[in-house]
Amino acid sequence: RAKDLARFFQQAADESFPLHPEEEQLRAILLANGILELRDGGYSPGEGAVISISRSSGPLLRHHLLTHEAFHGVFFSSEAYRRSSLALWEELGEGEREFWLLFFRWVGYDTEDTYLAANELQAYLFQQERRGVGPYFRGVTAGRLLASYPERRAAILGFLGADPGSFERRFDALERSL
């Protein structure tokens, strides 16, 4: 988000923290494109956002990553879609929310940040086609969570057994808001 980028560059300036040449190049690009603005001698958010992916990933992973990051761009730039994503996050049942928070903890996200959780929820749902959503979360993700959090086994399996269509249902609900 422009807001986060402005905060980063302003803090670096306030602390006289030396930037890498790539960070200086990014700052110049952001200023030239109005994502960052100079106001009163400091950095302020403009309009827009930046998305990026690793160049070292294979083609399939790069496709998923680019799609995931592009949906962050939609989230950042569309207030109506952002509201729908935040509302969807608030609608999650206890077991479903617990599954997502456990997944976000496994990935390394701040699980106290509702804005981040809603943003990641929508990006993870849409990083693959609808037909891949269930297998990815019920199979791949659940397997990783069961291996990493064996003490949460009953909760994970309980949610998956009680609501087997939840991932597709959430995908469909958000897709309508797109």
Side-chain angles (χ1 to χ4, degrees):
R1 292 186 296 182
K3 176 180 167 183
D4 299 321
L5 293 163
R7 186 174 55 242
F8 170 81
F9 285 107
Q10 188 59 52
Q11 184 174 353
D14 290 346
E15 297 175 5
S16 299
F17 189 85
L19 298 175
H20 292 283
E22 295 86 358
E23 291 167 326
E24 291 175 356
Q25 182 181 21
L26 175 61
R27 181 181 58 200
I29 291 168
L30 296 171
L31 287 165
N33 288 281
I35 297 171
L36 273 187
E37 296 177 353
L38 278 175
R39 282 191 220 137
D40 301 323
Y43 296 100
S44 296
E47 293 293 323
V50 173
I51 61 172
S52 65
I53 63 169
S54 166
R55 293 191 300 187
S56 64
S57 305
L60 180 61
L61 182 55
R62 285 181 88 178
H63 174 78
H64 287 303
L65 291 173
L66 184 57
T67 304
H68 179 105
E69 295 303 324
F71 274 99
H72 285 313
V74 174
F75 182 90
F76 292 141
S77 61
S78 169
E79 184 178 338
Y81 180 68
R82 185 170 47 254
R83 280 194 314 264
S84 294
S85 298
L86 288 161
L88 182 75
W89 176 257
E90 294 303 323
E91 292 169 9
L92 297 180
E94 185 178 335
E96 190 174 13
R97 182 184 307 270
E98 195 172 317
F99 180 91
W100 282 103
L101 287 173
L102 194 61
F103 173 56
F104 294 154
R105 187 175 316 130
W106 180 80
V107 175
Y109 297 140
D110 176 1
T111 58
E112 300 296 317
D113 186 339
T114 301
Y115 183 91
L116 175 64
N119 190 358
E120 291 300 334
L121 169 69
Q122 63 83 29
Y124 274 103
L125 282 174
F126 287 134
Q127 73 184 11
Q128 65 273 309
E129 294 179 28
R130 184 188 189 278
R131 67 186 163 146
V133 171
Y136 179 74
F137 289 106
R138 281 191 294 279
V140 175
T141 302
R144 290 174 176 162
L145 296 179
L146 289 166
S148 298
Y149 305 100
E151 73 282 3
R152 308 293 310 160
R153 182 176 188 77
I156 294 167
L157 295 178
F159 159 65
L160 294 173
D163 197 355
S166 66
F167 302 111
E168 292 87 353
R169 197 171 59 258
R170 299 307 183 185
F171 182 102
D172 293 343
L174 267 183
E175 186 176 48
R176 284 190 294 274
S177 69
L178 281 171

